[in-house]
Each structure stands twice: as C-alpha cells, then as structure tokens.
Amino acid sequence: MRIGFIGLGNMGAPMAKNLGAAGHEVTGYDTAEVAVEGVAGAGRMQDAVAGMEVIVTMLPNGGIVRTVHEAVVAAADPESLIIDCSTIDVESARAVHELAGKKGLMSLDAPVSGGTGGAAAGTLTFMVGGSQAAFAKGRPLFEIMGAKAVHCGEAGAGQAAKICNNMILGISMIGVCEAFHLADRLGLDRQAMFDVASTSSGSCWSLNTYCPAPGVGPESPADRDYKAGFAAELMLKDLDLSQTAAEKNGAATEMGRHARDIYKAFVDAGGRGKDFSAILERLGQS
Ligand code: NAD
C-alpha cells in the first residue's frame, strides 16, 4: 500500500518504520526535520497525502489534529482511508470523522496503548472507532504496528476507550504508590508488600507489571531513576481529557478528578519528564 504518515515523533517514527519494513511504500511528513529508516521524507504535507491509499496521523493534541486533518481531507484521494492514532479528546475525534465523511472519505480514530517500547516492537494495542468497512481496511496495518486491535464502535469510540483505560491507570498507579508509602511508614518491607499484594486482591498492572518501587517486581522505570517510560505530563494530559469528557457528559469521576489534581501538582513541582510512577518518590518526601 502507499501510506502517508504525518507526525514522526517518539511514537510515529517507529510505527512508520515498521510499516516500511513490512513492505509498504511509506512517505512521512513532520514539521520537525526527522529521518526514519525505510520511510521517504516529504518536504510538504501534501506530498504525504495526495495519491496515498492510507494516511496515518500521530500528533500531540486535538487542536493540531483538527488543523492537520483539514489539510489532509482537502488533498486526499477520494478512495483513501484516514487513521488518526493520536490521543485526543472525543469531540475533536468526532469532528475530524465528520470532516472526512463530508468528502466521502473513510476514517478511523485509533489511539494506542503500549508506549514507545510497544511502538518499536510492533506490539501496540489499537482501540478503534469508525465504520466496519474502515476497520476492515485498516486492520492489516494495525496487525503490523500492533499485537491487538479492538473495534470499539462508531466514530470517537476508540478515544473513549483510551481515556477510560488511562483514567484507571492513573488512579491505580496512585493507589499502588500510596500502599508502598503506607507500608514504609508502618515498617513493612516493600518486597513483602509486593509479594502479598501482587498475588492478592490488590494485584493490578500498576503493581505487577510496572511496579513503582525500585528493586521490587519486574524491571520498570523505577529501576532507571524514574526515567520515563510514560511521562507524568502525558498522564496528566490523558487525565485532563477524561475529566473534560466526564464534565461534559455528566459522569461522576471523583477519583479521576483527584488523580488529575495529584498529577498536576506533581508536574508543576518539577515532575515533568519523570515517569508517572515517580509519584512514589514524591509521597516519600511528604
Ligand atoms: P511527540 O511529541 O514525540 O511527536 C509528535 C510529532 O508531531 C513531533 O515530531 C512533532 O514535530 C510533530 N508535529 C507537530 N505538529 C505537526 C504538524 N502540524 N504537522 C506535522 N507534524 C507535526 O509525541 P509522541 O510521544 O509521539 O505522541 C504522539 C501521540 O501519541 C500523542 O497524542 C500522545 O498522547 C500519544 N501517545 C503517546 C505515548 C507515549 O508513550 N509517548 C503512548 C500512547 C499514546
């Protein structure tokens, strides 16, 4: 397939590289100067859009996605499929679907889970919103860039799934950090806390797979001085998205709001760039 890829950052570059390595003809565009192995560089965005069968975008936020998709829809071939893999607000996702639909183009919102490691290894999980036909067309590409693709429903359903998942993640990471912090204050050995909770009803991904306590559990960013991994400011971005959605749709997400406030305080106090599990360190300083 001829694929245009817009946004070759930490996530987009390895994703585009994997598509190229699988034999697709990939043309990439980014406002920054980026070279990606197996991906032809486009000097102008239009060169990564016109004549392409699929156009993938992987961009920082909803505002940028809306602007870029205006240009993409204007330059795209009538048969092309547009896939946005960025994490953005549900409203912007629906707006860009509508934009594509007006021109008769197929589109998908397909945010991902799995981080830069998953992007490099081609093991991302895609959460996808859009029509069955669009999903069927995009699926072979999800299979290259990821290990799993779930069709969650119509336009915006992928973003809805993403922000609900990450709200669980933010809340559960804080819960796990607070449990280690309390264990410390009670004189309970961290390894003992892990051994019990990771095989009891406290078990969860934030504890078992991504343990925030250095030297305990499988290797994680905690063992690398909390070098991100998944940066605290990205978690804050996602919790802002879930809270904005909750407020607009009348959902009661008290814990989500509290988690957002905790990450905001952490980022404002110098946590930017640190892994989101470094909340444990901050509690230790309290
Ligand atoms: P990034 O900042 O590394 O990459 C974004 C890229 O978009 C940059 O290279 C930037 O130059 C480019 N860009 C910005 N405006 C542009 C424009 N108008 N036209 C073309 N290119 C433009 O960010 P990232 O970590 O790759 O994240 C991308 C998206 O993926 C975000 O929505 C993020 O929330 C989401 N995400 C990130 C992770 C992660 O672990 N990094 C995990 C899951 C989802």
Side-chain angles (χ1 to χ4, degrees):
M1 274 193 193
R2 288 185 309 282
I3 302 170
F5 206 112
I6 301 172
L8 301 167
N10 292 326
M11 295 292 289
M15 291 164 73
K17 183 180 167 196
N18 285 338
L19 291 173
H24 292 293
E25 206 180 298
V26 186
T27 305
Y29 173 77
D30 195 294
T31 42
E33 215 166 294
V34 200
V36 181
E37 194 188 319
V39 175
R44 306 174 313 152
M45 195 197 299
Q46 285 85 342
D47 298 334
V49 178
M52 300 296 158
E53 289 156 90
V54 180
I55 298 121
V56 184
T57 56
M58 192 51 165
L59 296 160
N61 59 50
I64 294 175
V65 169
R66 283 180 190 241
T67 309
V68 166
H69 279 231
E70 294 251 359
V72 167
V73 165
D77 282 8
E79 297 300 313
S80 54
L81 164 68
I82 304 173
I83 306 176
D84 178 43
C85 295
S86 327
T87 302
I88 62 170
D89 57 291
V90 176
E91 275 184 353
S92 293
R94 290 186 178 144
V96 297
H97 272 282
E98 206 177 306
L99 202 65
K102 278 190 186 145
K103 215 187 145 187
L105 299 169
M106 285 199 286
S107 59
L108 292 170
D109 53 292
V112 302
S113 176
T116 49
T123 56
L124 294 169
T125 295
F126 286 84
M127 308 150 215
V128 190
S131 69
Q132 276 292 355
F135 181 65
K137 186 166 178 183
R139 184 171 220 150
L141 304 188
F142 300 140
E143 282 169 2
I144 294 166
M145 297 184 284
K148 187 169 182 178
V150 181
H151 188 207
C152 300
E154 290 300 318
Q159 295 296 349
K162 171 75 184 172
I163 61 176
C164 289
N165 177 72
N166 278 25
M167 187 175 78
I168 298 174
L169 178 62
I171 293 170
S172 68
M173 180 54 80
I174 293 168
V176 168
C177 289
E178 289 190 354
F180 274 115
H181 177 55
L182 178 59
D184 290 347
R185 294 286 154 102
L186 293 173
L188 171 64
D189 180 57
R190 285 181 170 185
Q191 186 65 50
M193 209 291 281
F194 178 86
D195 290 344
V196 171
S198 65
T199 52
S200 301
S201 45
S203 75
C204 61
W205 188 88
S206 294
L207 175 66
N208 293 34
T209 308
Y210 207 92
C211 184
V216 178
E219 202 191 314
S220 69
D223 301 308
R224 299 185 288 274
D225 198 24
Y226 297 102
K227 185 175 178 296
F230 184 43
E233 65 270 23
L234 288 180
M235 175 48 84
L236 175 59
K237 172 197 162 184
D238 291 355
L239 289 167
D240 270 332
L241 289 175
S242 54
Q243 274 323 99
T244 305
E247 280 154 25
K248 280 198 179 129
N249 294 281
T253 55
E254 277 299 299
M255 295 292 285
R257 184 172 56 74
H258 205 149
R260 190 264 315 269
D261 294 346
I262 288 171
Y263 275 103
K264 171 110 181 58
F266 179 68
V267 169
D268 288 349
R272 186 174 293 276
K274 288 225 158 200
D275 190 75
F276 83 117
S277 60
I279 289 283
L280 177 58
E281 248 192 348
R282 177 181 149 87
L283 291 172
Q285 289 153 9
S286 64

